[in-house]
Amino acid sequence: MRTDRELTFEDVLRYAGAHEAQATFEAQETLLTVGRTERPEPTGSTDPDAPSACGCGGACGREDAGAGGEVGSSALDKRVDRRNALRMLFGAAAIGSQVASACTPLSGATEAEREAKLLEWEEYFKGHFKLMTAEEKAATIRRLERLTELRKGVSVGISSTDAQPGVVFGYAFNISKCQGYRNCVDACVSENNQDRNSRMQYIRIFEMEDGVVDLDHADATFQHEVPAEGHFYLGTQCFQCANPPCVPVCPVQATWQEPDGIVVVDYDWCIGCRYCLAACPYWARRFNWGPPEVPAEELNPRQHYLGNRLRKKGVVEKCTFCIQRSRAGRLPACAEACPTGARVFGNLLDPDSEIRWVLENKNVFRLKQDLNTEPRFWYFTD
Amino acid sequence: MHLKAFLLNALDSATSGGRRYHVWMGTLTLVMLVGAYAYWVQLRDGLQVTGMTDHVSWGLYISNFTFLVGLAAAAVMLVLPAYILEDVDFSRAVLVAEGVAVSALSMCLAFVVVDIGNPLASWHLAPLLGLLNFPRSLLAWDVVVLNVYLALNLAIPLYILYNHYAGRTVEKSSYLPFMYLSVFWAVSIHMVTAFLLAGLPARPFWNSALLGPRFLASAFTAGPAFMILLLGLIRSETAYEIRDDTIQKLALITVVAAQINLIMLGSELFYKFYFPTEHSINAEYLFFGIDGHNALVPWVWTAIGMNLLATAILTAHPLRRNLKWLMPACLVLFIAIWIEKGLGLVIPGFVPSPLGEIVEYVPTWVELSVTAGIFAMGLFILTVLVRVALPIEMGHARSPYIVHEQPSARERARQRRDRRSRPAEQP
């Protein structure tokens, strides 16, 4: 049913004369039936760093009306599914608006900006990650990598590695060892490319008085030398619950639990309703209230589609146990960064793993067990 | 050909009026424009321009949404007796009530749209194109039930009005099944919206079996109270006849619902405060404040005071029967429910956070402007609907293409007298 999806829209762009560089798609003979119009040379600067002079954000093209007209007619001849039809309809409309803006003599968008806009346009119509074919996944990853290169000048690699069979991740946190240094918090932020403007952090370290675990009287915003006398520290993050309340509430299935237990978000499918933020009993989810900003020199280029790839304004994100690392056999950044050894991470299905040793030999507890969320995150003491 | 005339007539009714009418519509348009500008700012910069945070992730928009779902649902209080129980008193008011439902639903949908962070992705909700998480997500349920309710409340009155306009008799059997459906649906939109909140064990403030019934009780307080105010206005501004006993019957519904609502509020307070537990902390924040964090305390006590006062006035028969008391009491009650169910219900669910952190919420100018703009839009829609419907219902507006004679003045008078069914022209 989804056959020809990429092909058809690429054609739309190609007819518009806007996307020649990437026209490596099959069935190109259909193009021969459509006369193509010469595209005038760009009038503006070709320096990739030059700002768009026309103020259109680089969206404006210089195609003439003939090209736009042919898009509509040729597109109608093809076998398309519903989403594809929508995509072409809007595609034609967008090209029409580009045609309209072509009258502006100073449309000085650079090639890079134009390419980025068109890639974003294609990204807009892609489907849900879980419903994509392998080719579609490869195509969107190519686009996202190219977009990061165009926007940030950084070459990144985005993986879509699946969960490995026989692996369910679990985490244990030693409240006797944690000293509140918060190295984990910093490591998490830089590993996961979190928004620096809002200082988004997945991990919270609560300082509590010795004696009792009481989050209501804990302080997560302490700014003093640690460890403080008479206090202990307890860290929270997403617990990757086995029965996650945040998942069923999503109205568009943009968040789900992977077979290895990690609860992930498809950032491009999320509509930003924040129902999952309300549903999480552990306050583990975060929202991009503004456009997220990560300086290019701090960008972590080793990314995962469901993990630390760049997010956008108005979508939800969360801790994924560093899916880009854990699925590659590495520790999450927080566990690796901890100088006290308070953090234990591993495969719950591996009887020889350290996490299994902790669960079998320590007195462990979980937060809010009465809610039946079954967190895969335990606390223990020495 | 009736249709073209109908639409032209509607346009004419909506755009012509006296100076006060134009000032009113002009003011609403101005407020809508300010709201549109604020929404543009929000689209450009993201929801960071609002007062919402990761701690208080829903604010003024969703508060108004929950309140207005109630207002929309309350139209059923008029529909039920007017169409099904054949209570003739209400038949003249019911079209107005359906107009209120349509306008409230438009505002509900607008508040949801302005609240979502990535509105360009909202096609992911669309059937067939997207991936609606039905029936698991209560928000998906809400999307479905609200849109169907909107369709019902648009289709039924339009069908009736159009046929009246074209001079045809409307057979009751042709729309009665849909009326039954819409009565059922009105209850469902409100219960689904309550379940949306009540289904979250993470938020003990909402996670209560009483939330759904409380929603209904408060809706059936605020809804008819608003209808009384609106019908009073229509009666004083137009020649459309609304009889006293219609208003009195509405007042009775209002006061009974207000009393039930107060009982439920008392029950909630007892449950939270007789033996306070960890789960009472949000209520503690709402009613008393925690460690100097008390942004909502004045609001909620104002609301409770107004609620008690208005309910007391309406409970006293002589006062309720006196329009000089009834109208202000309804206004006070309406505002009280708006505070109680809007600000007083959604926001304390988030403060303190599930991990005990207290971050307060104060709406920004963007949220206030967008909210005002959406309310102006709702009033604009309501005004237009009422403007179009009344001349047709009064028999002033009729299709020029009707071939049969208009009923005589005597005939019309007879219909007004017995009004066994909706006023319909005899061939």
Short mmCIF file of all heavy atoms in Angstrom, two decimals, chain B residues 139-186:
data_model
loop_
_atom_site.label_atom_id
_atom_site.label_comp_id
_atom_site.label_asym_id
_atom_site.label_seq_id
_atom_site.Cartn_x
_atom_site.Cartn_y
_atom_site.Cartn_z
N LEU B 139 -7.58 10.79 25.49
CA LEU B 139 -7.52 11.99 24.66
C LEU B 139 -8.04 11.69 23.26
O LEU B 139 -8.71 12.51 22.63
CB LEU B 139 -6.08 12.52 24.61
CG LEU B 139 -5.91 14.00 24.32
CD1 LEU B 139 -6.74 14.87 25.22
CD2 LEU B 139 -4.46 14.38 24.42
N ALA B 140 -7.74 10.48 22.78
CA ALA B 140 -8.29 10.07 21.48
C ALA B 140 -9.81 9.97 21.57
O ALA B 140 -10.53 10.40 20.66
CB ALA B 140 -7.69 8.73 21.06
N TRP B 141 -10.30 9.44 22.69
CA TRP B 141 -11.75 9.41 22.91
C TRP B 141 -12.33 10.82 22.85
O TRP B 141 -13.38 11.06 22.25
CB TRP B 141 -12.07 8.82 24.29
CG TRP B 141 -12.10 7.34 24.33
CD1 TRP B 141 -11.03 6.51 24.33
CD2 TRP B 141 -13.26 6.51 24.39
NE1 TRP B 141 -11.46 5.22 24.39
CE2 TRP B 141 -12.80 5.18 24.43
CE3 TRP B 141 -14.64 6.77 24.40
CZ2 TRP B 141 -13.69 4.10 24.48
CZ3 TRP B 141 -15.50 5.70 24.47
CH2 TRP B 141 -15.04 4.38 24.50
N ASP B 142 -11.65 11.73 23.49
CA ASP B 142 -12.15 13.10 23.56
C ASP B 142 -12.22 13.71 22.17
O ASP B 142 -13.18 14.40 21.83
CB ASP B 142 -11.24 13.95 24.47
CG ASP B 142 -12.06 14.76 25.46
OD1 ASP B 142 -13.29 14.56 25.52
OD2 ASP B 142 -11.47 15.58 26.18
N VAL B 143 -11.18 13.46 21.36
CA VAL B 143 -11.18 13.98 20.00
C VAL B 143 -12.42 13.47 19.26
O VAL B 143 -13.12 14.22 18.58
CB VAL B 143 -9.89 13.54 19.26
CG1 VAL B 143 -9.98 13.83 17.78
CG2 VAL B 143 -8.68 14.22 19.86
N VAL B 144 -12.70 12.18 19.42
CA VAL B 144 -13.83 11.59 18.72
C VAL B 144 -15.16 12.17 19.23
O VAL B 144 -15.97 12.69 18.46
CB VAL B 144 -13.81 10.06 18.86
CG1 VAL B 144 -15.07 9.44 18.27
CG2 VAL B 144 -12.57 9.48 18.18
N VAL B 145 -15.36 12.11 20.56
CA VAL B 145 -16.68 12.49 21.07
C VAL B 145 -16.96 13.97 20.87
O VAL B 145 -18.09 14.36 20.58
CB VAL B 145 -16.88 12.09 22.56
CG1 VAL B 145 -16.89 10.59 22.70
CG2 VAL B 145 -15.88 12.73 23.46
N LEU B 146 -15.94 14.82 20.98
CA LEU B 146 -16.19 16.25 20.81
C LEU B 146 -16.57 16.56 19.38
O LEU B 146 -17.49 17.35 19.12
CB LEU B 146 -14.95 17.06 21.21
CG LEU B 146 -14.67 17.15 22.70
CD1 LEU B 146 -13.39 17.92 22.96
CD2 LEU B 146 -15.82 17.80 23.44
N ASN B 147 -15.89 15.95 18.44
CA ASN B 147 -16.21 16.24 17.04
C ASN B 147 -17.58 15.72 16.64
O ASN B 147 -18.32 16.37 15.90
CB ASN B 147 -15.12 15.68 16.12
CG ASN B 147 -13.90 16.59 16.09
OD1 ASN B 147 -14.00 17.74 15.68
ND2 ASN B 147 -12.79 16.11 16.59
N VAL B 148 -17.94 14.53 17.15
CA VAL B 148 -19.26 14.01 16.83
C VAL B 148 -20.34 14.89 17.47
O VAL B 148 -21.36 15.20 16.85
CB VAL B 148 -19.40 12.55 17.30
CG1 VAL B 148 -20.82 12.06 17.14
CG2 VAL B 148 -18.45 11.67 16.51
N TYR B 149 -20.10 15.33 18.70
CA TYR B 149 -21.08 16.19 19.37
C TYR B 149 -21.24 17.51 18.63
O TYR B 149 -22.36 18.02 18.48
CB TYR B 149 -20.62 16.44 20.82
CG TYR B 149 -21.66 17.08 21.70
CD1 TYR B 149 -22.84 16.42 21.99
CD2 TYR B 149 -21.45 18.33 22.24
CE1 TYR B 149 -23.79 17.00 22.82
CE2 TYR B 149 -22.39 18.92 23.07
CZ TYR B 149 -23.57 18.25 23.36
OH TYR B 149 -24.50 18.83 24.16
N LEU B 150 -20.13 18.03 18.14
CA LEU B 150 -20.20 19.27 17.35
C LEU B 150 -21.04 19.04 16.11
O LEU B 150 -21.91 19.84 15.77
CB LEU B 150 -18.79 19.73 16.98
CG LEU B 150 -18.69 21.00 16.15
CD1 LEU B 150 -19.27 22.19 16.88
CD2 LEU B 150 -17.25 21.30 15.76
N ALA B 151 -20.79 17.92 15.42
CA ALA B 151 -21.54 17.62 14.21
C ALA B 151 -23.03 17.51 14.52
O ALA B 151 -23.87 18.06 13.81
CB ALA B 151 -21.02 16.34 13.58
N LEU B 152 -23.38 16.81 15.61
CA LEU B 152 -24.78 16.64 15.98
C LEU B 152 -25.44 17.99 16.25
O LEU B 152 -26.55 18.27 15.78
CB LEU B 152 -24.90 15.76 17.23
CG LEU B 152 -24.75 14.25 17.06
CD1 LEU B 152 -24.69 13.59 18.42
CD2 LEU B 152 -25.92 13.70 16.26
N ASN B 153 -24.74 18.82 17.00
CA ASN B 153 -25.34 20.09 17.39
C ASN B 153 -25.37 21.11 16.27
O ASN B 153 -26.07 22.11 16.36
CB ASN B 153 -24.62 20.67 18.61
CG ASN B 153 -25.16 20.09 19.89
OD1 ASN B 153 -26.29 20.35 20.26
ND2 ASN B 153 -24.37 19.25 20.53
N LEU B 154 -24.58 20.87 15.24
CA LEU B 154 -24.69 21.72 14.05
C LEU B 154 -25.81 21.20 13.15
O LEU B 154 -26.61 21.98 12.62
CB LEU B 154 -23.37 21.71 13.28
CG LEU B 154 -22.33 22.74 13.65
CD1 LEU B 154 -21.06 22.49 12.86
CD2 LEU B 154 -22.84 24.14 13.36
N ALA B 155 -25.85 19.89 12.98
CA ALA B 155 -26.73 19.32 11.97
C ALA B 155 -28.20 19.44 12.36
O ALA B 155 -29.03 19.83 11.54
CB ALA B 155 -26.36 17.86 11.73
N ILE B 156 -28.52 19.14 13.62
CA ILE B 156 -29.93 19.10 14.00
C ILE B 156 -30.57 20.49 13.88
O ILE B 156 -31.58 20.64 13.18
CB ILE B 156 -30.11 18.51 15.42
CG1 ILE B 156 -29.63 17.07 15.43
CG2 ILE B 156 -31.56 18.58 15.85
CD1 ILE B 156 -29.48 16.46 16.80
N PRO B 157 -30.02 21.52 14.50
CA PRO B 157 -30.66 22.83 14.36
C PRO B 157 -30.66 23.34 12.93
O PRO B 157 -31.63 23.96 12.49
CB PRO B 157 -29.84 23.76 15.26
CG PRO B 157 -28.83 22.94 15.93
CD PRO B 157 -28.85 21.58 15.39
N LEU B 158 -29.57 23.06 12.19
CA LEU B 158 -29.54 23.53 10.80
C LEU B 158 -30.66 22.89 10.00
O LEU B 158 -31.33 23.54 9.20
CB LEU B 158 -28.19 23.18 10.17
CG LEU B 158 -27.12 24.26 10.27
CD1 LEU B 158 -25.85 23.81 9.60
CD2 LEU B 158 -27.62 25.56 9.64
N TYR B 159 -30.86 21.59 10.23
CA TYR B 159 -31.91 20.86 9.52
C TYR B 159 -33.27 21.48 9.84
O TYR B 159 -34.08 21.76 8.94
CB TYR B 159 -31.86 19.39 9.94
CG TYR B 159 -32.99 18.55 9.42
CD1 TYR B 159 -33.02 18.12 8.11
CD2 TYR B 159 -34.05 18.18 10.26
CE1 TYR B 159 -34.05 17.35 7.63
CE2 TYR B 159 -35.09 17.41 9.79
CZ TYR B 159 -35.09 16.99 8.47
OH TYR B 159 -36.13 16.23 8.01
N ILE B 160 -33.51 21.75 11.11
CA ILE B 160 -34.80 22.30 11.52
C ILE B 160 -34.98 23.71 10.97
O ILE B 160 -36.00 24.06 10.36
CB ILE B 160 -34.92 22.29 13.06
CG1 ILE B 160 -34.97 20.84 13.55
CG2 ILE B 160 -36.13 23.07 13.52
CD1 ILE B 160 -34.83 20.70 15.05
N LEU B 161 -33.94 24.52 11.13
CA LEU B 161 -34.04 25.91 10.67
C LEU B 161 -34.23 25.99 9.17
O LEU B 161 -35.04 26.76 8.66
CB LEU B 161 -32.76 26.67 11.06
CG LEU B 161 -32.65 27.15 12.49
CD1 LEU B 161 -31.31 27.80 12.72
CD2 LEU B 161 -33.78 28.13 12.81
N TYR B 162 -33.46 25.19 8.46
CA TYR B 162 -33.52 25.24 7.01
C TYR B 162 -34.91 24.86 6.52
O TYR B 162 -35.48 25.50 5.63
CB TYR B 162 -32.45 24.32 6.40
CG TYR B 162 -32.52 24.24 4.91
CD1 TYR B 162 -32.21 25.35 4.12
CD2 TYR B 162 -32.92 23.08 4.27
CE1 TYR B 162 -32.28 25.29 2.75
CE2 TYR B 162 -33.00 23.01 2.89
CZ TYR B 162 -32.68 24.12 2.14
OH TYR B 162 -32.77 24.06 0.77
N ASN B 163 -35.47 23.85 7.12
CA ASN B 163 -36.80 23.43 6.71
C ASN B 163 -37.86 24.47 7.07
O ASN B 163 -38.79 24.70 6.29
CB ASN B 163 -37.14 22.07 7.31
CG ASN B 163 -36.53 20.96 6.48
OD1 ASN B 163 -36.80 20.85 5.29
ND2 ASN B 163 -35.68 20.18 7.10
N HIS B 164 -37.71 25.07 8.20
CA HIS B 164 -38.63 26.15 8.55
C HIS B 164 -38.50 27.28 7.55
O HIS B 164 -39.48 27.87 7.10
CB HIS B 164 -38.37 26.65 9.96
CG HIS B 164 -38.90 25.75 11.02
ND1 HIS B 164 -38.74 25.98 12.36
CD2 HIS B 164 -39.59 24.60 10.92
CE1 HIS B 164 -39.32 25.02 13.04
NE2 HIS B 164 -39.83 24.16 12.18
N TYR B 165 -37.27 27.56 7.22
CA TYR B 165 -37.02 28.65 6.28
C TYR B 165 -37.65 28.34 4.93
O TYR B 165 -38.23 29.20 4.28
CB TYR B 165 -35.50 28.84 6.13
CG TYR B 165 -35.13 29.96 5.21
CD1 TYR B 165 -35.26 31.29 5.62
CD2 TYR B 165 -34.66 29.70 3.93
CE1 TYR B 165 -34.93 32.32 4.78
CE2 TYR B 165 -34.33 30.73 3.07
CZ TYR B 165 -34.46 32.05 3.50
OH TYR B 165 -34.14 33.07 2.66
N ALA B 166 -37.54 27.07 4.52
CA ALA B 166 -38.10 26.68 3.23
C ALA B 166 -39.60 26.43 3.32
O ALA B 166 -40.22 26.02 2.35
CB ALA B 166 -37.40 25.43 2.73
N GLY B 167 -40.16 26.68 4.48
CA GLY B 167 -41.60 26.57 4.64
C GLY B 167 -42.09 25.14 4.73
O GLY B 167 -43.24 24.86 4.42
N ARG B 168 -41.22 24.22 5.11
CA ARG B 168 -41.65 22.83 5.19
C ARG B 168 -41.92 22.45 6.65
O ARG B 168 -41.35 23.01 7.57
CB ARG B 168 -40.56 21.88 4.67
CG ARG B 168 -40.23 22.11 3.23
CD ARG B 168 -39.29 21.01 2.75
NE ARG B 168 -38.65 21.43 1.52
CZ ARG B 168 -37.34 21.65 1.41
NH1 ARG B 168 -36.54 21.46 2.42
NH2 ARG B 168 -36.84 22.04 0.26
N THR B 169 -42.79 21.49 6.80
CA THR B 169 -43.04 20.95 8.13
C THR B 169 -41.92 19.96 8.46
O THR B 169 -41.54 19.16 7.61
CB THR B 169 -44.37 20.20 8.17
OG1 THR B 169 -45.35 21.05 7.58
CG2 THR B 169 -44.75 19.86 9.59
N VAL B 170 -41.38 20.07 9.66
CA VAL B 170 -40.33 19.14 10.04
C VAL B 170 -40.95 18.00 10.82
O VAL B 170 -41.56 18.21 11.88
CB VAL B 170 -39.27 19.86 10.90
CG1 VAL B 170 -38.13 18.91 11.21
CG2 VAL B 170 -38.76 21.08 10.17
N GLU B 171 -40.83 16.82 10.27
CA GLU B 171 -41.34 15.65 10.98
C GLU B 171 -40.44 15.36 12.17
O GLU B 171 -39.23 15.28 12.03
CB GLU B 171 -41.37 14.44 10.04
CG GLU B 171 -42.43 14.51 8.96
CD GLU B 171 -43.84 14.58 9.54
OE1 GLU B 171 -44.06 14.01 10.62
OE2 GLU B 171 -44.71 15.23 8.92
N LYS B 172 -41.06 15.20 13.31
CA LYS B 172 -40.27 14.97 14.51
C LYS B 172 -39.47 13.67 14.41
O LYS B 172 -38.33 13.58 14.87
CB LYS B 172 -41.22 14.90 15.70
CG LYS B 172 -40.56 15.28 16.99
CD LYS B 172 -41.58 15.37 18.10
CE LYS B 172 -40.86 15.48 19.42
NZ LYS B 172 -41.81 15.44 20.53
N SER B 173 -40.10 12.68 13.76
CA SER B 173 -39.43 11.38 13.68
C SER B 173 -38.12 11.46 12.89
O SER B 173 -37.25 10.62 13.04
CB SER B 173 -40.35 10.36 13.03
OG SER B 173 -40.70 10.81 11.74
N SER B 174 -37.97 12.51 12.05
CA SER B 174 -36.77 12.57 11.22
C SER B 174 -35.54 12.96 12.03
O SER B 174 -34.43 12.64 11.65
CB SER B 174 -36.99 13.56 10.08
OG SER B 174 -37.24 14.84 10.62
N TYR B 175 -35.74 13.67 13.10
CA TYR B 175 -34.55 14.04 13.86
C TYR B 175 -34.53 13.47 15.28
O TYR B 175 -33.53 13.57 15.97
CB TYR B 175 -34.39 15.57 13.91
CG TYR B 175 -35.53 16.32 14.56
CD1 TYR B 175 -35.63 16.40 15.94
CD2 TYR B 175 -36.49 16.97 13.79
CE1 TYR B 175 -36.66 17.09 16.54
CE2 TYR B 175 -37.53 17.66 14.37
CZ TYR B 175 -37.62 17.72 15.74
OH TYR B 175 -38.63 18.38 16.33
N LEU B 176 -35.61 12.85 15.69
CA LEU B 176 -35.66 12.37 17.07
C LEU B 176 -34.55 11.37 17.42
O LEU B 176 -33.94 11.50 18.48
CB LEU B 176 -37.04 11.77 17.37
CG LEU B 176 -37.40 11.78 18.85
CD1 LEU B 176 -37.48 13.22 19.36
CD2 LEU B 176 -38.73 11.08 19.09
N PRO B 177 -34.25 10.41 16.53
CA PRO B 177 -33.15 9.48 16.89
C PRO B 177 -31.84 10.23 17.15
O PRO B 177 -31.08 9.88 18.06
CB PRO B 177 -33.02 8.59 15.65
CG PRO B 177 -34.31 8.71 14.94
CD PRO B 177 -34.86 10.07 15.25
N PHE B 178 -31.61 11.27 16.37
CA PHE B 178 -30.37 12.03 16.56
C PHE B 178 -30.40 12.82 17.86
O PHE B 178 -29.39 13.06 18.49
CB PHE B 178 -30.13 12.94 15.36
CG PHE B 178 -29.89 12.18 14.10
CD1 PHE B 178 -30.91 12.01 13.18
CD2 PHE B 178 -28.66 11.61 13.85
CE1 PHE B 178 -30.70 11.29 12.03
CE2 PHE B 178 -28.44 10.88 12.70
CZ PHE B 178 -29.47 10.72 11.78
N MET B 179 -31.62 13.23 18.24
CA MET B 179 -31.75 13.94 19.52
C MET B 179 -31.39 13.01 20.69
O MET B 179 -30.66 13.39 21.59
CB MET B 179 -33.17 14.45 19.72
CG MET B 179 -33.60 15.55 18.79
SD MET B 179 -32.45 16.91 18.70
CE MET B 179 -32.12 17.19 20.40
N TYR B 180 -31.94 11.79 20.62
CA TYR B 180 -31.60 10.82 21.67
C TYR B 180 -30.09 10.63 21.74
O TYR B 180 -29.49 10.62 22.80
CB TYR B 180 -32.27 9.47 21.39
CG TYR B 180 -33.71 9.41 21.81
CD1 TYR B 180 -34.74 9.29 20.87
CD2 TYR B 180 -34.06 9.44 23.16
CE1 TYR B 180 -36.06 9.23 21.25
CE2 TYR B 180 -35.38 9.37 23.55
CZ TYR B 180 -36.38 9.27 22.60
OH TYR B 180 -37.69 9.21 22.99
N LEU B 181 -29.50 10.49 20.53
CA LEU B 181 -28.07 10.28 20.46
C LEU B 181 -27.33 11.46 21.08
O LEU B 181 -26.36 11.30 21.84
CB LEU B 181 -27.65 10.09 19.00
CG LEU B 181 -26.20 9.70 18.77
CD1 LEU B 181 -25.93 8.34 19.40
CD2 LEU B 181 -25.88 9.67 17.28
N SER B 182 -27.79 12.65 20.80
CA SER B 182 -27.05 13.82 21.29
C SER B 182 -27.21 13.97 22.80
O SER B 182 -26.28 14.45 23.47
CB SER B 182 -27.47 15.07 20.53
OG SER B 182 -28.45 15.78 21.23
N VAL B 183 -28.33 13.54 23.35
CA VAL B 183 -28.49 13.56 24.81
C VAL B 183 -27.47 12.63 25.46
O VAL B 183 -26.74 13.00 26.38
CB VAL B 183 -29.92 13.14 25.20
CG1 VAL B 183 -30.01 12.86 26.69
CG2 VAL B 183 -30.91 14.21 24.80
N PHE B 184 -27.39 11.41 24.90
CA PHE B 184 -26.41 10.46 25.39
C PHE B 184 -25.00 11.02 25.22
O PHE B 184 -24.15 10.91 26.10
CB PHE B 184 -26.58 9.15 24.61
CG PHE B 184 -25.44 8.21 24.73
CD1 PHE B 184 -25.27 7.44 25.87
CD2 PHE B 184 -24.51 8.10 23.71
CE1 PHE B 184 -24.21 6.57 25.98
CE2 PHE B 184 -23.45 7.23 23.81
CZ PHE B 184 -23.29 6.47 24.95
N TRP B 185 -24.81 11.65 24.08
CA TRP B 185 -23.47 12.15 23.75
C TRP B 185 -23.04 13.29 24.67
O TRP B 185 -21.87 13.42 25.01
CB TRP B 185 -23.45 12.62 22.29
CG TRP B 185 -22.17 12.24 21.64
CD1 TRP B 185 -21.03 12.97 21.64
CD2 TRP B 185 -21.88 11.04 20.94
NE1 TRP B 185 -20.04 12.30 20.97
CE2 TRP B 185 -20.54 11.10 20.54
CE3 TRP B 185 -22.62 9.91 20.60
CZ2 TRP B 185 -19.91 10.08 19.82
CZ3 TRP B 185 -22.00 8.91 19.88
CH2 TRP B 185 -20.67 9.00 19.51
N ALA B 186 -23.99 14.13 25.06
CA ALA B 186 -23.65 15.26 25.92
C ALA B 186 -23.07 14.77 27.25
O ALA B 186 -22.09 15.31 27.75
CB ALA B 186 -24.89 16.10 26.17
#
